[in-house]
Amino acid sequence: AYYVLIELANIKPGESVLIHNGCSSFGQAAITLAHKHKCIVYTTVASEKQKFTLFEQMQMFSPHQILDYTDSTFDYKLMMATHGLGVNVIINSLAESQLQASMRCLSTLGRIIQIEVSERDEQNTIGLRLFLTIVRLHGVIPRNIFNWS
């Protein structure tokens, strides 16, 4: 989480960060780190049960900051929560239509870090339109971070 948020995304206090799969161990570490760096944190979960669990455990969220990524309107809800500005940083682990929805939530000069690209993701396309808003895109495979040759 440190490498992704601090080294790649270079988060700053006051920036908004969307962290997908907030109930995962990586998600919880990233949420805690972003919160400690005084970022405005949004996260996604896969169910109402996960939303309740995260809301109770983390005690740093208002209800509009935890979104259900299985809901086809989570991108609209996030844009409403950010008053149409989108988020500065997205830590993404979603694919297909959910990846496209996430991309629509990225602000100008935003950064997106794609975690764990797998073979199923090879056919995903993001299109070049995204880069017209001046963004940075990084891909990270966690198991390879400490395996530099």
Side-chain angles (χ1 to χ4, degrees):
Y2 180 90
Y3 175 72
V4 168
L5 288 169
I6 306 304
E7 298 296 326
L8 292 179
N10 194 25
I11 58 172
K12 304 285 185 226
E15 286 190 315
S16 54
V17 179
L18 171 61
I19 300 166
H20 285 296
N21 292 316
C23 280
S24 68
S25 55
F26 176 87
Q28 290 183 29
I31 289 167
T32 302
L33 188 59
H35 183 71
K36 289 202 178 290
H37 277 80
K38 302 194 182 335
C39 293
I40 303 160
V41 181
Y42 299 90
T43 191
T44 61
V45 294
S47 68
E48 282 298 315
K49 182 180 178 186
Q50 286 184 353
K51 182 176 184 174
F52 179 78
T53 300
L54 197 59
F55 186 76
E56 290 292 312
Q57 285 181 349
M58 301 300 268
Q59 297 185 355
M60 65 178 76
F61 291 107
S62 60
H64 74 276
Q65 290 176 281
I66 304 175
L67 304 163
D68 183 344
Y69 67 77
T70 65
D71 176 355
S72 63
T73 63
F74 88 84
D75 54 334
Y76 298 110
K77 291 176 181 175
L78 181 60
M79 291 305 285
M80 285 176 35
T82 62
H83 307 287
L85 298 175
V87 292
N88 302 108
V89 175
I90 297 174
I91 308 303
N92 187 63
S93 56
L94 304 180
E96 300 171 4
S97 63
Q98 296 159 330
L99 171 62
Q100 297 295 330
S102 295
M103 300 276 188
R104 290 191 292 271
C105 298
L106 193 60
S107 68
T108 301
L109 300 177
R111 288 94 71 203
I112 185 162
I113 291 81
Q114 177 67 32
I115 303 292
E116 194 68 49
V117 178
S118 68
E119 288 181 24
R120 70 177 171 84
D121 297 328
E122 287 180 7
Q123 299 303 314
N124 281 334
T125 59
I126 57 173
L128 294 176
R129 178 177 218 99
L130 170 70
F131 296 99
L132 295 175
T133 59
I134 311 173
V135 299
R136 286 190 323 209
L137 173 66
H138 297 275
V140 175
I141 300 173
R143 67 181 175 274
N144 292 345
I145 291 176
F146 298 109
N147 292 335
W148 297 99
S149 297

